[in-house]
């Protein structure tokens, strides 16, 4: 069996509807780097999403959709679009080295030791007061793995940041909600909206979060090693080649109790091609394995590294690929 991923686009649409119904006062952006498959872009566009892009090449991908949608440009190459004439395009400078008056600024939480250090953005505590007074649009960057405790720390940072920018009109809180359940993510969005003053327009970037339980991966076992620590299982795809930025959930299709410590590896010759550590029943060569919650980023990063075949990605609507 050739490994494949199926994305259920009806489930994607259902997730979008739930998010829009269960949140208030939030404008949503879709990060184009997450998945530029045309039908996916059609769906988010039809549901009123704006776009988050990083450079001129991603602008070309979304240009055909643009009428009045909000487009945020952030990243090291955001300056490429400084002179673009689309009316609702908003440049976010990644650092002061590329900042120019009228741009937004990307800020991080580097001054707080509770968060991972980021190479993106500027520590807002180090910005000159004059710059802070003139900034109307900021974009948070924080890629910490999130649990409810970490969310509380983020709320405190947001409160502090808002006080530092007295003339703020727009705020992009970013994304990185993939570690939270769907319900927790909704709660997080609403909690941030309650913190951000009503006169400030709030944006959130939803990429992976939209794809909760949308993607399913089917593959086979090609090699197994058993020892006193459990079982080491090699699959017929490679995380390094086909499944980077993955948050898979293993679904056992066997009625046996899944109590054997199991490490799933990809089939490349890379020692670190580790896909998932979990528990499973005893597996054998040829067994079919299923993983849920497959990230759309894996579609973007599908390569033939180390001679491994590219994975088949299928986007399904109404049971048709």
């Amino acid at each position: 069996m050739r490994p494949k991923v199926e994305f259920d686009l009806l489930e994607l649409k259902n997730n979008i509807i739930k998010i829009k119904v269960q949140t208030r006062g939030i404008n949503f952006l879709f990060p184009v780097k997450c998945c530029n498959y045309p039908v996916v872009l059609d769906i988010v566009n039809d549901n009123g999403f704006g776009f988050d892009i990083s450079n001129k090449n991603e602008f070309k991908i979304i240009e055909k959709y643009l009428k009045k949608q909000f487009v945020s440009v952030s990243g090291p190459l955001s300056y490429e679009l400084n002179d673009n004439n689309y009316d609702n395009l908003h440049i976010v400078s990644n650092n002061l080295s590329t900042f120019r008056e009228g741009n937004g600024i990307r800020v991080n939480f580097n001054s707080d030791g509770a968060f991972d250090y980021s190479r993106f953005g500027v520590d807002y505590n180090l910005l000159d007061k004059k710059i802070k007074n003139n900034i109307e649009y900021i974009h948070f960057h924080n890629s910490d793995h999130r649990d409810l405790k970490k969310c509380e720390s983020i709320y405190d940072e947001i409160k502090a940041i808002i006080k530092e920018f007295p003339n703020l009109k727009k705020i992009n809180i970013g994304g990185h909600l993939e570690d939270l359940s769907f319900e927790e993510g909704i709660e997080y969005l609403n909690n941030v909206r309650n913190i951000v003053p009503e006169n400030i327009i709030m944006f959130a970037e939803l990429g992976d979060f939209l794809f909760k339980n949308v993607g399913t991966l089917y593959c086979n076992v090609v090699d197994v090693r058993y020892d006193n620590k459990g079982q080491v299982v090699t699959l017929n795809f490679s995380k390094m080649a086909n499944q980077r930025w993955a948050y898979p959930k293993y679904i056992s299709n066997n009625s046996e109790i899944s109590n054997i410590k199991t490490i799933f590896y990809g089939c490349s010759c890379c020692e670190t091609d580790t896909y998932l550590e979990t528990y499973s029943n005893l597996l054998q060569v040829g067994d079919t394995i299923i993983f849920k919650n497959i990230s759309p980023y894996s579609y973007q990063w599908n390569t033939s590294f180390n001679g491994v075949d590219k994975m088949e990605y299928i986007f399904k609507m109404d049971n048709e690929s």
Side-chain angles (χ1 to χ4, degrees):
M1 162 188 207
R2 181 185 175 189
K4 66 178 180 180
V5 170
E6 293 182 353
F7 288 114
D8 182 350
L9 297 183
L10 287 179
E11 188 64 23
L12 172 64
K13 287 185 173 183
N14 288 336
N15 285 348
I16 292 173
I17 291 170
K18 291 176 187 175
I19 291 167
K20 293 174 71 175
V21 168
Q22 296 177 33
T23 59
R24 63 166 191 85
I26 304 172
N27 298 278
F28 296 112
L29 305 176
F30 184 73
V32 175
K33 67 178 181 292
C34 170
C35 184
N36 63 20
Y37 188 74
V39 178
V40 170
L41 295 180
D42 289 341
I43 290 171
V44 294
N45 181 63
D46 290 344
N47 279 277
F49 277 59
F51 296 99
D52 173 75
I53 61 174
S54 301
N55 49 55
K56 62 184 181 182
N57 289 328
E58 288 190 338
F59 181 81
K60 292 176 183 177
I61 292 171
I62 64 164
E63 193 168 11
K64 69 176 184 178
Y65 296 101
L66 299 183
K67 294 179 181 176
K68 296 182 179 180
Q69 297 95 320
F70 187 95
V71 177
S72 182
V73 189
S74 60
L77 298 179
S78 63
Y79 67 88
E80 291 182 339
L81 288 157
N82 271 335
D83 299 316
N84 187 281
N85 59 8
Y86 176 62
D87 288 341
N88 208 5
L89 186 140
H90 302 267
I91 305 292
V92 179
S93 296
N94 189 55
N95 279 300
L96 290 180
S97 61
T98 55
F99 178 76
R100 73 181 190 181
E101 189 173 350
N103 284 5
I105 192 83
R106 202 172 193 181
V107 298
N108 58 47
F109 304 161
N110 284 356
S111 61
D112 189 333
F115 296 96
D116 294 341
Y117 181 85
S118 175
R119 74 182 181 96
F120 295 110
V122 181
D123 182 344
Y124 68 92
N125 288 298
L126 302 180
L127 283 173
D128 182 86
K129 186 175 182 180
K130 182 179 179 181
I131 293 178
K132 290 180 182 178
N133 288 341
N134 289 327
I135 290 290
E136 295 184 353
Y137 177 36
I138 60 173
H139 176 184
F140 297 148
H141 182 81
N142 171 253
S143 55
D144 284 47
H145 288 288
R146 296 186 185 179
D147 54 22
L148 298 183
K149 183 179 179 180
K150 182 67 70 174
C151 289
E152 292 293 334
S153 297
I154 293 173
Y155 301 151
D156 291 339
E157 283 294 314
I158 293 173
K159 292 174 186 176
I161 289 173
I162 289 172
K163 291 179 181 178
E164 295 289 322
F165 296 85
N167 294 305
L168 200 59
K169 293 182 178 179
K170 299 182 289 293
I171 189 167
N172 180 351
I173 67 168
H176 293 287
L177 305 182
E178 58 273 358
D179 294 313
L180 302 175
S181 69
F182 199 81
E183 293 72 23
E184 290 169 343
I186 295 293
E187 182 180 5
Y188 171 83
L189 291 170
N190 284 325
N191 286 344
V192 176
R193 178 66 268 188
N194 289 334
I195 293 169
V196 176
E198 290 291 339
N199 64 309
I200 297 176
I201 300 171
M202 176 176 144
F203 297 90
E205 294 177 20
L206 302 185
D208 266 327
F209 190 66
L210 293 183
F211 281 76
K212 286 282 187 183
N213 297 315
V214 169
T216 305
L217 188 158
Y218 303 89
C219 60
N220 287 134
V221 175
V222 294
D223 185 78
V224 185
R225 186 186 76 206
Y226 312 102
D227 57 32
N228 58 2
K229 295 182 179 180
Q231 57 184 347
V232 174
V233 179
T234 303
L235 305 169
N236 62 336
F237 71 90
S238 164
K239 177 177 181 178
M240 306 296 287
N242 320 122
Q243 279 285 296
R244 297 187 68 176
W245 207 327
Y247 308 92
K249 294 179 181 178
Y250 171 57
I251 306 298
S252 176
N253 56 359
N254 192 297
S255 59
E256 297 178 26
I257 297 175
S258 297
N259 60 359
I260 301 173
K261 187 174 182 179
T262 302
I263 305 178
F264 288 110
Y265 284 97
C267 59
S268 77
C269 294
C270 181
E271 184 72 51
T272 57
D273 197 354
T274 310
Y275 192 59
L276 183 67
E277 296 187 29
T278 186
Y279 288 86
S280 174
N281 56 287
L282 192 67
L283 297 173
Q284 299 179 357
V285 172
D287 283 349
T288 296
I289 304 296
I290 300 173
F291 297 98
K292 293 279 191 179
N293 201 44
I294 302 304
S295 169
Y297 281 95
S298 60
Y299 164 76
Q300 295 296 119
W301 259 327
N302 193 20
T303 73
S304 55
F305 167 73
N306 199 190
V308 176
D309 288 335
K310 286 188 175 184
M311 185 172 289
E312 182 181 12
Y313 284 89
I314 300 170
F315 293 82
K316 300 180 69 173
M317 186 85 75
D318 294 326
N319 296 318
E320 293 181 1
S321 61

